[in-house]
Amino acid sequence: MTRYAIEANFDGLVGPTHNYAGLSFGNVASTSNASTHSDPKSAALQGLTKMKALHDMGFVQGVLPPHERPHVKTLRDVFGFTGSDGDVLASAWKTNPNLVLATSSASPMWTANAATVSPSGDTGDGKVHFTPANLCAMFHRSIEHSVTGRALAATFADANHFTHHAALPGTDHMGDEGAANHTRFCGDYGARGVEFFVYGRHAFEAGKTRPGRYPARQTYEASSAIARHHGLSDNSVVYAQQNPDLIDAGVFHNDVISVGNGNVLFHYEDAFVDTPAVLDDIKRKMAGIADFTHIEVPKSAIPLSDVVKSYLFNSQLLRLPENGQMMLILPTEAKETISVRDYLYDLIGKGKTPIKQIKFFDLRQSMRNGGGPACLRLRVALTEAELAATNQHSLINDQRFTELTAWVEKHYRDRLSAEDFRDPLLLFEVRTALDELTQLLDLGPIYDFQHVN
Ligand code: SUG
């Protein structure tokens, strides 16, 4: 029996410490914008504008909170600094400013990396399963999963509907980047679908291909462990290795080279190792669920460097609630890259594609760190009962949008540079803002400074 269900998007609210520290090796935008000053207020308002627009189009839109940064607890527990919070910041900065910067990134805003989510139609126990990503490839992101786990548990609290797993161990062998490397194909969102896991390398088998220049952040072993923990059946799971040459060209997550939803996969030529076999496997497992279709962008139409620069595939592929048509939400950079713009207008002009509409959003503040529309959201397919069991304060409506906009206007600075992070005043500003936010979103005490153990 088909149950009424929707796909909700939970966007990360950009944090008050949004900045460009060049922390992500292999992410071209991050390294090339290192040390430029940022504008956290505009960044947060750009994100909220996208959330409100999706709500206005009839989608269920949720929000996940930013994290406390600088994270003094990491400076204490990991690096061993002591004294008052101000002392800890001062001595860490004196020792090496990079220690403070690595604990000050607003990177939890990219909630595509928050977790892997399996909807209840796919799981062994019929509940929605969440595994926060350990993000162990980058130090500044490896400190995210505990607070992310608490935020998810507070948002999806009802144990009758939601199961929360611990992050996998944060070791190189089990590197996990969450939904950025995970896609789900389906017919109805509430029925069984096919979960598609894309990994960069095998960790327990020597001699397999892997990139030579940049890190392959996700391992096959991490992806397959999550599938087991979530109770997915083998005939509903497809694994694919990302093409290592693409990782070496700056494609650090699968969501920089393909995006899927419903019965559609939109992808670049040779996105995977043996792409035809991967497509066959998906098609075979989708039989009886929905007619799987794919749109392949040929290399001859768009050079790889334009794909990476424009973030064409880091778009949100959405199924419009009113008519089931597909639409793409893209960053403005896609319109400004001529090969990409020409391709897109040709694609929707032909009319023979399931993608019928395109919309562009200004997300420049996030894009400068390599985060496009798809990075900013975690998809959670929910039945009617699961949606009702979700924390309603985490859902965007007109009132919540107004409250969050006022909250940003009140607490965020419009200019931040590296030196600002040594100032304890910034830390206290952040904590005051986040304390208010947990009340606004009715999340309870999820932050370390709120004395959670
Ligand atoms: O992990 N950038 C993030 C961008 C994440 C994008 N997410 C997806 N593709 N789903 C990363 O590389 C840069 C932070 C800095 O350099 O200051 C950063 O963490």
Side-chain angles (χ1 to χ4, degrees), residues 19-27 29-31 34 101 105-107 110-113 135 138 140-141 144 177 179-181 217 252-256 311 314 366 368-372 374-377:
N19 72 102
Y20 307 118
L23 300 172
S24 282
F25 179 59
N27 167 347
S30 157
T31 39
L101 294 178
S105 174
S107 52
W110 298 295
T111 52
N113 303 117
L135 297 171
M138 302 287 147
H140 71 289
R141 304 215 62 182
E144 292 177 21
E177 300 276 318
N181 293 323
R217 300 190 195 187
F252 59 99
H253 286 137
N254 175 57
D255 67 6
V256 180
Y311 259 37
N314 200 259
S366 173
R368 278 183 206 143
N369 257 336
C375 300
L376 284 161
R377 61 93 174 100

Side-chain angles (χ1 to χ4, degrees), residues 53-65:
L54 263 72
H55 162 72
D56 289 347
M57 284 187 256
F59 295 104
V60 177
Q61 178 67 55
V63 63
L64 289 169

Side-chain angles (χ1 to χ4, degrees), residues 58-389:
F59 295 104
V60 177
Q61 178 67 55
V63 63
L64 289 169
H67 290 198
E68 175 199 1
R69 296 288 183 271
H71 197 230
V72 176
K73 185 171 160 54
T74 300
L75 293 172
R76 287 182 192 280
D77 295 356
V78 177
F79 296 109
F81 295 104
T82 53
S84 68
D85 289 343
D87 291 343
V88 168
L89 274 179
S91 23
W93 187 271
K94 199 164 155 230
T95 303
N96 181 353
N98 290 331
L99 302 183
V100 177
L101 294 178
T103 54
S104 300
S105 174
S107 52
M109 65 193 258
W110 298 295
T111 52
N113 303 117
T116 303
V117 184
S118 294
S120 53
D122 300 348
T123 58
D125 61 2
K127 296 183 189 181
V128 185
H129 284 240
F130 298 82
T131 298
N134 61 33
L135 297 171
C136 66
M138 302 287 147
F139 176 82
H140 71 289
R141 304 215 62 182
S142 68
I143 61 175
E144 292 177 21
H145 63 85
S146 60
V147 174
T148 297
R150 282 182 220 142
L152 288 171
T155 308
F156 303 99
D158 186 340
N160 292 317
H161 292 290
F162 306 116
T163 302
H164 295 272
H165 301 269
L168 296 172
T171 67
D172 188 54
H173 280 65
M174 298 304 280
D176 172 30
E177 300 276 318
N181 293 323
H182 174 255
T183 305
R184 179 176 184 253
F185 302 108
C186 63
D188 185 275
Y189 288 116
R192 185 173 69 84
V194 170
E195 300 202 15
F196 182 44
F197 290 85
V198 181
Y199 58 91
R201 66 188 156 97
H202 289 258
F204 286 84
E205 284 174 71
K208 295 255 180 170
T209 51
R210 52 162 70 198
R213 183 177 180 210
Y214 289 146
R217 300 190 195 187
Q218 181 91 31
T219 68
Y220 166 76
E221 289 77 3
S223 298
S224 51
I226 290 170
R228 276 180 224 110
H229 286 301
H230 290 195
L232 307 181
S233 70
D234 288 347
N235 59 2
S236 300
V237 175
V238 172
Y239 299 101
Q241 183 173 4
Q242 201 179 343
N243 179 344
D245 295 342
L246 299 186
I247 296 179
D248 278 341
V251 181
F252 59 99
H253 286 137
N254 175 57
D255 67 6
V256 180
I257 207 70
S258 82
V259 57
N261 191 0
N263 63 334
V264 180
L265 176 65
F266 180 50
H267 67 98
Y268 197 54
E269 186 180 344
D270 289 340
F272 316 108
V273 171
D274 199 353
T275 302
V278 171
L279 295 169
D280 279 352
D281 199 9
I282 302 173
K283 200 169 272 177
R284 200 165 43 81
K285 289 178 175 157
M286 282 291 284
I289 296 177
D291 273 340
F292 173 72
T293 162
H294 73 108
I295 305 164
E296 178 169 297
V297 179
K299 293 176 199 163
S300 56
I302 307 179
L304 181 58
S305 53
D306 281 2
V307 166
V308 174
K309 184 175 75 176
S310 69
Y311 259 37
L312 166 64
F313 294 103
N314 200 259
S315 46
Q316 287 180 258
L317 181 61
L318 297 166
R319 192 153 75 184
L320 284 161
E322 81 256 18
N323 55 17
Q325 288 183 354
M326 289 285 190
M327 110 185 276
L328 272 183
I329 300 279
L330 299 131
T332 34
E333 284 79 351
K335 192 165 56 178
E336 291 161 0
T337 308
I338 291 166
S339 61
V340 173
R341 189 193 55 201
D342 289 353
Y343 173 85
L344 284 168
Y345 286 124
D346 186 55
L347 178 77
I348 54 165
K350 275 192 191 128
K352 280 200 174 146
T353 154
I355 300 173
K356 302 292 181 207
Q357 287 187 47
I358 50 176
K359 269 197 176 12
F360 299 94
F361 281 83
D362 177 1
L363 297 163
R364 282 183 207 284
Q365 287 287 326
S366 173
M367 285 287 285
R368 278 183 206 143
N369 257 336
C375 300
L376 284 161
R377 61 93 174 100
L378 180 68
R379 296 185 282 188
V380 188
L382 296 166
T383 63
E384 202 167 10
E386 290 156 2
L387 180 58

